[in-house]
Amino acid sequence: MSDLLSSLTTELRRGTLTLAVLSQLQTPQYGYSLVQLLEKSGIVIDQSTLYPLLRRLEKQKLVTSSWDTTESRPRKYYVLSDFGTELFLQLKQEWEKTSLELQQLLEGEKKNELD
Amino acid sequence: MNLIDLYVHEVTRLLPEKNREDIALELQSTIQDMLPDNPTEDEIKAALSKLGDPAKLAGQYRDIPRYLIGPALYDHYLTILKMTFPIVLAVVLITQVLTNIINYAGEATIIEMILALSFSIVGAAFNVGVQTLFWITLVFFVLERSGAVKESFPQSTIGAPWKPEDLKYLSSIPKKKAISKSQVLFSLIWTAVWAGVYFNAVNIIAVYERDSTSGFNYVTPIFNEETLLSFWPFVCLLIAIEIALAIFKWVLGQWTPRLAVINAFYNAVYILVFIFLASSSNLFNPSFVDYQVQLFNSTADDVMNVVNGAVWTSIVIAIIISVLDSYEGFKKARISLTKLFNK
């Protein structure tokens, strides 16, 4: 039973992952700083998922990357492209709409239970 | 090499050349970020286990689907396989039976021949089956990887999207009324088999004697070859009608009144040819009659009585089967979809 729950939870979260990552890339971030930012907000993301995801976003031209070699070790920074920003805002709207709808749906269910 | 280098190497080893260096560099710096300044081996191990199995990580980077045929094509793949296999196996069966009958020269016993035939059918069916599976899978695999089918439409739409109008083209034939392709193929095989037996009757239908040393020995053919083969124009006509009927059935896919009439006509022709053939006076080989006389220590008349009894029994059975078959045809032709719904 808990296996099923965890697999459903993972599935539920998977779709939101891209949105979470995009939201944090409005300012340039490198891999590990992004992990820390997300973890601070309580979003757990498998690191073996995150790094490949960043590359995929770059391939889809949503983010651009650049190597910063000025510090002690070279780091690859990712930041939203113009296209990425545009898409992020649209996706954000979609999410807000969906979560509002779902909230109403779930609250309606609660009311029914009280009746 | 230290653990980190080994880990990075293990991941990038599995990646395409052009990304390898960049990913290696990024992974190195990420792992360094995760660690304090002078990490102990345990700390390194903890960081690496957070990143997980290198093969899995490499798989994520590669982003190539880890399946041969994806959900968009899988249904079509199965449909094609289910459609192809019966046809291919039927073709194997027909060709094997035909080549065996045609090449049969009477040098082997009938049982040896059946054994050899079964072996060659199983062997050929396996061979052809594996080939079919392989090539169809390969084609679908190439289709899948070439990106010809969009990943984002998992609901199996190749070509135009589904419309309610598409329903008009579907068949709504009741199951009992329908004629399956396998039924047609089976009747074609049957035609091939009996035609093959007819033209080789002298070699195949014969008296065999059991011998303790060499198994079965061919003694004498049962039928008189000349009499039997003198019917060849009628038999060819019968074969032609049978094949035409099979093609007609294949095209129609269901029983119709016209098909039932043709089927009844075929049965009538079949019965006529059969009766003429079975009642012709010189049908049986004289040496076969002699053999029976010697075997049972009786007279030629007695033997002929038994043989004639067998002939008439088989004629009666053939008539009953033909009448039943014709009747079934008309019955099936009358079934209609609306009737089934009104019940």
Short mmCIF file of all heavy atoms in Angstrom, two decimals, chain A residues 30 32 39 46-49 51-52 54-56 67 73-76 78, chain B residues 19 22-23 25-27 29-30 32-34 50-51 56-57 60-61 63:
data_model
loop_
_atom_site.label_atom_id
_atom_site.label_comp_id
_atom_site.label_asym_id
_atom_site.label_seq_id
_atom_site.Cartn_x
_atom_site.Cartn_y
_atom_site.Cartn_z
N TYR A 30 24.29 27.54 -10.36
CA TYR A 30 24.99 26.33 -10.79
C TYR A 30 24.33 25.15 -10.10
O TYR A 30 23.50 25.34 -9.18
CB TYR A 30 26.49 26.43 -10.50
CG TYR A 30 26.85 26.69 -9.07
CD1 TYR A 30 27.11 25.64 -8.19
CD2 TYR A 30 26.96 28.00 -8.58
CE1 TYR A 30 27.45 25.87 -6.87
CE2 TYR A 30 27.29 28.24 -7.26
CZ TYR A 30 27.54 27.17 -6.40
OH TYR A 30 27.86 27.41 -5.10
N TYR A 32 24.81 22.77 -7.85
CA TYR A 32 24.64 22.51 -6.42
C TYR A 32 23.89 23.63 -5.71
O TYR A 32 23.12 23.38 -4.79
CB TYR A 32 26.01 22.27 -5.76
CG TYR A 32 25.86 21.69 -4.38
CD1 TYR A 32 25.28 20.43 -4.18
CD2 TYR A 32 26.29 22.39 -3.25
CE1 TYR A 32 25.14 19.89 -2.92
CE2 TYR A 32 26.15 21.86 -1.98
CZ TYR A 32 25.56 20.61 -1.83
OH TYR A 32 25.41 20.08 -0.58
N GLU A 39 16.04 22.66 -1.83
CA GLU A 39 15.91 21.95 -0.55
C GLU A 39 15.45 22.90 0.54
O GLU A 39 14.73 22.52 1.46
CB GLU A 39 17.22 21.27 -0.19
CG GLU A 39 17.31 19.88 -0.81
CD GLU A 39 18.61 19.17 -0.51
OE1 GLU A 39 19.46 19.76 0.20
OE2 GLU A 39 18.79 18.04 -1.00
N ASP A 46 15.86 14.40 -6.64
CA ASP A 46 16.97 13.47 -6.81
C ASP A 46 18.04 14.17 -7.64
O ASP A 46 17.74 14.70 -8.71
CB ASP A 46 16.44 12.25 -7.57
CG ASP A 46 17.19 11.00 -7.20
OD1 ASP A 46 18.27 11.15 -6.59
OD2 ASP A 46 16.71 9.91 -7.51
N GLN A 47 19.28 14.17 -7.14
CA GLN A 47 20.31 14.89 -7.89
C GLN A 47 20.58 14.24 -9.24
O GLN A 47 20.94 14.91 -10.20
CB GLN A 47 21.59 14.97 -7.07
CG GLN A 47 21.40 15.82 -5.83
CD GLN A 47 22.71 16.24 -5.22
OE1 GLN A 47 23.67 16.52 -5.92
NE2 GLN A 47 22.74 16.28 -3.90
N SER A 48 20.38 12.92 -9.26
CA SER A 48 20.62 12.24 -10.54
C SER A 48 19.53 12.58 -11.55
O SER A 48 19.65 12.26 -12.73
CB SER A 48 20.70 10.74 -10.34
OG SER A 48 19.46 10.25 -9.91
N THR A 49 18.44 13.20 -11.08
CA THR A 49 17.41 13.67 -12.01
C THR A 49 17.67 15.12 -12.41
O THR A 49 17.45 15.51 -13.55
CB THR A 49 16.02 13.59 -11.34
OG1 THR A 49 15.88 12.33 -10.73
CG2 THR A 49 14.91 13.78 -12.35
N TYR A 51 20.49 17.14 -12.64
CA TYR A 51 21.53 17.56 -13.58
C TYR A 51 21.18 17.21 -15.02
O TYR A 51 21.31 18.06 -15.91
CB TYR A 51 22.90 17.00 -13.15
CG TYR A 51 23.25 17.43 -11.74
CD1 TYR A 51 23.64 16.52 -10.78
CD2 TYR A 51 23.15 18.77 -11.36
CE1 TYR A 51 23.93 16.90 -9.48
CE2 TYR A 51 23.42 19.17 -10.05
CZ TYR A 51 23.81 18.23 -9.12
OH TYR A 51 24.08 18.62 -7.84
N PRO A 52 20.71 16.00 -15.24
CA PRO A 52 20.26 15.72 -16.63
C PRO A 52 19.10 16.62 -17.06
O PRO A 52 19.02 17.01 -18.22
CB PRO A 52 19.83 14.26 -16.56
CG PRO A 52 20.61 13.68 -15.46
CD PRO A 52 20.70 14.76 -14.44
N LEU A 54 18.60 19.73 -16.24
CA LEU A 54 19.15 21.03 -16.65
C LEU A 54 19.62 20.98 -18.10
O LEU A 54 19.41 21.91 -18.88
CB LEU A 54 20.30 21.42 -15.73
CG LEU A 54 19.87 21.89 -14.33
CD1 LEU A 54 21.08 22.05 -13.43
CD2 LEU A 54 19.11 23.21 -14.42
N ARG A 55 20.28 19.89 -18.45
CA ARG A 55 20.77 19.77 -19.84
C ARG A 55 19.63 19.66 -20.83
O ARG A 55 19.72 20.20 -21.94
CB ARG A 55 21.66 18.52 -19.96
CG ARG A 55 22.95 18.74 -19.28
CD ARG A 55 24.01 17.77 -19.61
NE ARG A 55 25.23 18.35 -19.10
CZ ARG A 55 26.15 18.90 -19.86
NH1 ARG A 55 26.00 18.91 -21.17
NH2 ARG A 55 27.23 19.44 -19.33
N ARG A 56 18.58 18.98 -20.40
CA ARG A 56 17.42 18.85 -21.29
C ARG A 56 16.78 20.22 -21.52
O ARG A 56 16.40 20.57 -22.63
CB ARG A 56 16.39 17.90 -20.68
CG ARG A 56 15.79 16.94 -21.69
CD ARG A 56 15.08 15.81 -21.00
NE ARG A 56 15.99 15.04 -20.14
CZ ARG A 56 15.65 14.47 -18.99
NH1 ARG A 56 14.42 14.59 -18.53
NH2 ARG A 56 16.53 13.79 -18.29
N TRP A 67 30.14 28.73 -18.55
CA TRP A 67 31.14 28.32 -17.56
C TRP A 67 31.72 29.57 -16.91
O TRP A 67 32.12 30.51 -17.59
CB TRP A 67 32.25 27.50 -18.22
CG TRP A 67 31.84 26.09 -18.45
CD1 TRP A 67 31.40 25.56 -19.62
CD2 TRP A 67 31.88 25.03 -17.50
NE1 TRP A 67 31.13 24.23 -19.45
CE2 TRP A 67 31.41 23.88 -18.16
CE3 TRP A 67 32.25 24.95 -16.15
CZ2 TRP A 67 31.32 22.66 -17.52
CZ3 TRP A 67 32.16 23.73 -15.51
CH2 TRP A 67 31.68 22.58 -16.19
N ARG A 73 37.06 26.96 -8.46
CA ARG A 73 36.81 25.85 -9.38
C ARG A 73 35.77 26.29 -10.40
O ARG A 73 34.89 27.09 -10.09
CB ARG A 73 36.36 24.61 -8.63
CG ARG A 73 34.96 24.64 -8.08
CD ARG A 73 34.58 23.30 -7.49
NE ARG A 73 35.22 23.06 -6.21
CZ ARG A 73 34.64 23.32 -5.02
NH1 ARG A 73 33.44 23.84 -4.98
NH2 ARG A 73 35.24 23.06 -3.90
N PRO A 74 35.90 25.79 -11.62
CA PRO A 74 34.96 26.19 -12.67
C PRO A 74 33.55 25.69 -12.35
O PRO A 74 33.37 24.57 -11.86
CB PRO A 74 35.51 25.52 -13.92
CG PRO A 74 36.34 24.41 -13.43
CD PRO A 74 36.88 24.82 -12.11
N ARG A 75 32.55 26.55 -12.61
CA ARG A 75 31.17 26.13 -12.38
C ARG A 75 30.33 26.47 -13.58
O ARG A 75 30.52 27.50 -14.23
CB ARG A 75 30.60 26.87 -11.16
CG ARG A 75 31.02 26.23 -9.85
CD ARG A 75 30.53 27.05 -8.70
NE ARG A 75 30.89 26.40 -7.45
CZ ARG A 75 31.20 27.06 -6.35
NH1 ARG A 75 31.21 28.39 -6.35
NH2 ARG A 75 31.49 26.42 -5.24
N LYS A 76 29.39 25.59 -13.85
CA LYS A 76 28.51 25.84 -14.98
C LYS A 76 27.24 26.49 -14.47
O LYS A 76 26.51 25.91 -13.66
CB LYS A 76 28.19 24.53 -15.70
CG LYS A 76 27.65 24.76 -17.09
CD LYS A 76 27.48 23.47 -17.86
CE LYS A 76 27.07 23.77 -19.30
NZ LYS A 76 26.77 22.57 -20.06
N TYR A 78 23.48 28.16 -15.03
CA TYR A 78 22.30 28.10 -15.91
C TYR A 78 21.39 29.28 -15.59
O TYR A 78 21.24 29.66 -14.42
CB TYR A 78 21.50 26.82 -15.67
CG TYR A 78 22.23 25.56 -16.05
CD1 TYR A 78 23.04 24.88 -15.13
CD2 TYR A 78 22.10 25.03 -17.33
CE1 TYR A 78 23.71 23.73 -15.50
CE2 TYR A 78 22.75 23.87 -17.69
CZ TYR A 78 23.56 23.23 -16.77
OH TYR A 78 24.21 22.07 -17.13
N ASN B 19 29.39 15.07 -25.65
CA ASN B 19 29.03 15.69 -24.37
C ASN B 19 29.97 15.30 -23.24
O ASN B 19 29.88 15.84 -22.15
CB ASN B 19 27.63 15.26 -23.95
CG ASN B 19 26.59 15.69 -24.94
OD1 ASN B 19 26.79 16.69 -25.64
ND2 ASN B 19 25.50 14.95 -25.03
N ASP B 22 32.23 17.93 -21.20
CA ASP B 22 31.45 18.95 -20.51
C ASP B 22 30.75 18.38 -19.29
O ASP B 22 30.79 18.95 -18.20
CB ASP B 22 30.42 19.53 -21.50
CG ASP B 22 29.90 20.87 -21.04
OD1 ASP B 22 30.74 21.77 -20.84
OD2 ASP B 22 28.68 21.00 -20.86
N ILE B 23 30.14 17.23 -19.47
CA ILE B 23 29.43 16.61 -18.34
C ILE B 23 30.42 16.20 -17.26
O ILE B 23 30.17 16.37 -16.06
CB ILE B 23 28.61 15.41 -18.83
CG1 ILE B 23 27.42 15.92 -19.66
CG2 ILE B 23 28.10 14.57 -17.67
CD1 ILE B 23 26.57 14.85 -20.27
N LEU B 25 33.26 17.59 -16.51
CA LEU B 25 33.69 18.80 -15.81
C LEU B 25 32.63 19.27 -14.83
O LEU B 25 32.91 19.61 -13.67
CB LEU B 25 33.96 19.90 -16.85
CG LEU B 25 35.19 20.76 -16.63
CD1 LEU B 25 36.44 19.90 -16.62
CD2 LEU B 25 35.29 21.81 -17.73
N GLU B 26 31.38 19.27 -15.29
CA GLU B 26 30.28 19.73 -14.45
C GLU B 26 30.09 18.82 -13.24
O GLU B 26 29.89 19.28 -12.12
CB GLU B 26 29.00 19.81 -15.28
CG GLU B 26 27.89 20.55 -14.56
CD GLU B 26 26.57 20.56 -15.32
OE1 GLU B 26 26.49 19.90 -16.36
OE2 GLU B 26 25.64 21.22 -14.85
N LEU B 27 30.17 17.51 -13.50
CA LEU B 27 30.01 16.55 -12.40
C LEU B 27 31.10 16.73 -11.36
O LEU B 27 30.84 16.75 -10.15
CB LEU B 27 30.06 15.13 -12.97
CG LEU B 27 28.74 14.42 -13.20
CD1 LEU B 27 29.02 13.00 -13.68
CD2 LEU B 27 27.92 14.38 -11.91
N SER B 29 32.80 19.41 -10.64
CA SER B 29 32.63 20.61 -9.84
C SER B 29 31.42 20.47 -8.91
O SER B 29 31.43 20.96 -7.78
CB SER B 29 32.52 21.84 -10.75
OG SER B 29 31.21 22.23 -10.97
N THR B 30 30.39 19.77 -9.36
CA THR B 30 29.21 19.56 -8.50
C THR B 30 29.57 18.73 -7.28
O THR B 30 29.18 19.04 -6.16
CB THR B 30 28.11 18.85 -9.29
OG1 THR B 30 27.80 19.61 -10.45
CG2 THR B 30 26.85 18.69 -8.46
N GLN B 32 32.49 18.40 -5.97
CA GLN B 32 33.33 19.23 -5.09
C GLN B 32 32.45 20.17 -4.26
O GLN B 32 32.71 20.38 -3.06
CB GLN B 32 34.32 20.07 -5.91
CG GLN B 32 35.29 19.27 -6.75
CD GLN B 32 36.30 18.51 -5.92
OE1 GLN B 32 36.42 18.73 -4.72
NE2 GLN B 32 37.02 17.58 -6.55
N ASP B 33 31.39 20.72 -4.90
CA ASP B 33 30.48 21.61 -4.19
C ASP B 33 29.80 20.91 -3.01
O ASP B 33 29.52 21.53 -1.98
CB ASP B 33 29.39 22.13 -5.14
CG ASP B 33 29.90 23.27 -6.01
OD1 ASP B 33 30.85 23.94 -5.58
OD2 ASP B 33 29.35 23.47 -7.11
N MET B 34 29.50 19.65 -3.20
CA MET B 34 28.78 18.90 -2.17
C MET B 34 29.67 18.61 -0.97
O MET B 34 29.16 18.26 0.10
CB MET B 34 28.28 17.57 -2.75
CG MET B 34 27.18 17.72 -3.79
SD MET B 34 26.95 16.21 -4.74
CE MET B 34 26.00 15.25 -3.57
N LYS B 50 24.65 9.81 -2.87
CA LYS B 50 23.54 10.73 -3.12
C LYS B 50 23.27 10.84 -4.62
O LYS B 50 22.12 10.98 -5.06
CB LYS B 50 23.87 12.12 -2.56
CG LYS B 50 22.96 12.53 -1.41
CD LYS B 50 23.24 13.96 -1.04
CE LYS B 50 22.21 14.47 -0.06
NZ LYS B 50 22.54 15.82 0.40
N LEU B 51 24.34 10.82 -5.40
CA LEU B 51 24.17 10.89 -6.86
C LEU B 51 23.68 9.57 -7.45
O LEU B 51 23.11 9.56 -8.54
CB LEU B 51 25.50 11.29 -7.52
CG LEU B 51 25.87 12.76 -7.42
CD1 LEU B 51 27.29 12.98 -7.91
CD2 LEU B 51 24.91 13.61 -8.23
N LYS B 56 22.67 4.59 -13.93
CA LYS B 56 21.36 5.23 -13.95
C LYS B 56 21.51 6.71 -14.32
O LYS B 56 20.73 7.24 -15.13
CB LYS B 56 20.72 5.09 -12.56
CG LYS B 56 19.21 5.07 -12.59
CD LYS B 56 18.63 4.90 -11.20
CE LYS B 56 17.51 5.88 -10.97
NZ LYS B 56 17.33 6.22 -9.56
N LEU B 57 22.52 7.34 -13.74
CA LEU B 57 22.76 8.76 -14.03
C LEU B 57 23.09 8.95 -15.52
O LEU B 57 22.55 9.84 -16.18
CB LEU B 57 23.90 9.28 -13.15
CG LEU B 57 24.21 10.77 -13.24
CD1 LEU B 57 22.98 11.59 -12.92
CD2 LEU B 57 25.33 11.13 -12.29
N GLN B 60 20.02 8.81 -17.54
CA GLN B 60 19.26 10.07 -17.52
C GLN B 60 19.88 11.10 -18.47
O GLN B 60 19.18 11.85 -19.15
CB GLN B 60 19.27 10.66 -16.10
CG GLN B 60 18.59 9.78 -15.08
CD GLN B 60 17.18 10.27 -14.79
OE1 GLN B 60 16.56 10.91 -15.63
NE2 GLN B 60 16.68 9.94 -13.60
N TYR B 61 21.20 11.14 -18.49
CA TYR B 61 21.88 12.10 -19.37
C TYR B 61 21.64 11.76 -20.84
O TYR B 61 21.46 12.64 -21.67
CB TYR B 61 23.40 12.09 -19.11
CG TYR B 61 23.83 13.06 -18.04
CD1 TYR B 61 24.47 12.63 -16.89
CD2 TYR B 61 23.61 14.43 -18.21
CE1 TYR B 61 24.86 13.52 -15.91
CE2 TYR B 61 24.01 15.33 -17.23
CZ TYR B 61 24.63 14.88 -16.08
OH TYR B 61 25.02 15.77 -15.13
N ASP B 63 19.16 10.22 -22.19
CA ASP B 63 17.81 10.59 -22.59
C ASP B 63 17.31 9.80 -23.80
O ASP B 63 16.54 10.30 -24.61
CB ASP B 63 17.75 12.10 -22.88
CG ASP B 63 16.31 12.60 -22.75
OD1 ASP B 63 15.53 11.91 -22.10
OD2 ASP B 63 16.01 13.66 -23.32
#
